[in-house]
Amino acid sequence: MDTALAMGKDKLAVLRQKLDQIPVLQQAEDTLKCPKEFLVIAAALVTAVLVFFGIGAGSLCSIVGFLYPAYKSFEAIESKNRGDDTQWLIYWVVYAFFSVLEVFIDFLVYWIPFYYAFKLAFLLWAMLPQTKGAKFLYDSFLKDFLKSNESKIDVALENAKKSASSVAAEASAATTEAVAAAVSAASGGDDTKKDT
């Protein structure tokens, strides 16, 4: 028991040394009067429970799937190294494919236990440079699939562009008609007030 307690204290000391590099945690420790390693462990446990039980897990997955990759994409754009650009472009292609696929299987999501926990693990695996999961998926499956269907995708995008242009033109015409009718009604209403 004493060795486990000593080992636990050693692990907490190592964690504290790593957390000492984060000023926000020092401010939180000073404000809350609670050691920062306990704050981090508590936050990790709360997050794990929320994801495990699906409470706000969809939002958490969206935040994780967007924030870190968006920031790293920004860094990649601003750096001179082009290798990291490719890594993040591949991530966004995989993320988009996964998101489109998820739209069509959304009704099944409720039947999959711990779906958001698995989704969070998948997103972390796909985005982290240590695992390069997105590159693995792209190279082993997605690249061949997209290349073999590239012409079909281009046709579908062109059709969608035409449809969107048509809808936009119709919406613009309807808006113009509505504004003209409103102006006409407003000016007609002013004339009747002046006559009385």
Side-chain angles (χ1 to χ4, degrees), residues 44-60:
L45 285 174
V46 166
T47 302
V49 166
L50 291 176
V51 169
F52 188 74
F53 290 110
I55 303 167
S59 298
L60 179 65

Side-chain angles (χ1 to χ4, degrees), residues 39 103 106 149 151 155 191:
L39 293 173
V103 166
D106 191 41
N149 293 299
S151 60
V155 168
D191 292 341

Side-chain angles (χ1 to χ4, degrees), residues 37-154:
E37 57 271 25
F38 294 145
L39 293 173
V40 168
I41 291 169
L45 285 174
V46 166
T47 302
V49 166
L50 291 176
V51 169
F52 188 74
F53 290 110
I55 303 167
S59 298
L60 179 65
C61 285
S62 294
I63 289 169
V64 169
F66 277 110
L67 283 183
Y68 179 76
Y71 179 71
K72 295 306 275 184
S73 297
F74 163 75
E75 282 185 340
I77 291 167
E78 296 301 318
S79 75
K80 301 288 183 212
N81 181 7
R82 292 295 163 218
D84 53 359
D85 293 5
T86 303
Q87 175 191 344
W88 291 109
L89 284 170
I90 289 173
Y91 170 79
W92 290 115
V93 168
V94 169
Y95 186 85
F97 184 79
F98 180 73
S99 296
V100 168
L101 187 65
E102 192 177 34
V103 166
F104 293 108
I105 63 165
D106 191 41
F107 64 94
L108 295 175
V109 167
Y110 295 105
W111 295 97
I112 300 172
F114 313 115
Y115 171 76
Y116 288 108
F118 291 126
K119 180 179 177 181
L120 183 61
F122 169 77
L123 289 172
L124 290 172
W125 174 76
M127 78 174 68
L128 292 175
Q130 295 86 345
T131 57
K132 296 189 179 173
K135 182 159 178 37
F136 172 78
L137 283 177
Y138 181 78
D139 288 341
S140 61
F141 163 71
L142 204 51
K143 180 171 45 174
D144 294 334
F145 174 77
L146 291 173
K147 283 189 177 194
S148 65
N149 293 299
E150 188 173 4
S151 60
K152 293 176 189 173
I153 294 169
D154 287 340

Side-chain angles (χ1 to χ4, degrees), residues 24-35:
V24 172
L25 291 176
Q26 185 60 47
Q27 292 171 347
E29 181 179 46
D30 294 342
T31 304
L32 299 172
K33 307 290 188 237
C34 180

